[in-house]
Amino acid sequence: MAGIATIAVLAGCSVQVDVGSGTAGSTYEATVTDVVDGDTIDVRFTNGSTDTVRLLGIDTPEVHVETQPGEFEGVPDTESGRACLRATGENASAVVEQRLAGEQVTIRLDHGGDTRGGYGRLLGIVIRENSSVNYNLIEDGHARLYDTSFSERDRYADAEREAMTANRGLWQCRSGG
């Protein structure tokens, strides 16, 4: 069974995830049951199992712990820089809540990177209405590119550069907010 991995999920069930060959990743239909923050959601898959999904390739400013300006290029490590990041992190969370809470989504695993992150969360591209939520968050300036390998990294990097140049979202914090 090369290319097949069993992923344990929070409900104690499991989902067979094909992490084998191919450029198009395996996809799973799910309902968003909770928005943890701008880059993390909880989902229930069609088989009833649940999991926490970390949006692959992106990072939004923290809302549950102190923000780290050093993670966001050009944002000053000052009170105003941290306050600006906190506000944009809360905004990113609100955007994800508005777009995804209670919605049906497709979770696509990426063959260019890992399927689980350091905290055991499933790493995936969240698709709603045929659009990548992950990419849209980068493009709109709600998130930065996360330093990891995945198949769409170059595309995300281009969108991040454009958001930075346009001073969209969190990138306005580079001037201190």
Side-chain angles (χ1 to χ4, degrees), residues 23-167:
T23 57
S26 300
T27 60
Y28 300 92
E29 301 304 312
T31 300
V32 177
T33 58
D34 187 39
V35 173
V36 177
D37 59 24
D39 54 34
T40 308
I41 59 174
D42 291 330
V43 300
R44 180 175 311 286
F45 293 101
T46 55
N47 71 357
S49 63
T50 60
D51 210 324
T52 298
V53 177
R54 176 69 160 78
L55 278 66
L56 178 66
I58 73 166
D59 184 35
T60 60
E62 298 296 335
V63 295
H64 300 294
V65 296
E66 275 303 307
T67 60
Q68 300 295 320
E71 295 178 354
F72 297 88
E73 184 180 326
V75 176
D77 191 0
T78 62
E79 185 57 40
S80 63
R82 286 187 294 279
C84 183
L85 284 176
R86 169 77 60 191
T88 59
E90 289 169 358
N91 186 50
S93 296
V95 165
V96 173
E97 177 83 24
Q98 179 184 27
R99 291 182 187 175
L100 297 182
E103 298 293 335
Q104 296 288 106
V105 297
T106 300
I107 308 296
R108 182 168 51 87
L109 304 184
D110 188 273
H111 290 296
D114 295 330
T115 57
R116 289 275 168 188
Y119 294 103
R121 299 173 293 190
L122 188 63
L123 300 174
I125 295 176
V126 177
I127 301 164
R128 179 154 188 285
E129 298 177 347
N130 296 317
S131 183
S132 165
V133 173
N134 308 39
Y135 180 82
N136 293 339
L137 289 169
I138 289 269
E139 183 178 49
D140 295 341
H142 297 297
R144 72 173 177 94
L145 178 65
Y146 191 76
D147 188 24
T148 189
S149 296
F150 63 107
S151 64
E152 295 185 47
R153 182 175 175 71
D154 291 343
R155 180 173 168 247
Y156 282 39
D158 290 342
E160 180 186 56
R161 274 190 296 279
E162 289 175 21
M164 290 173 81
T165 299
N167 244 8

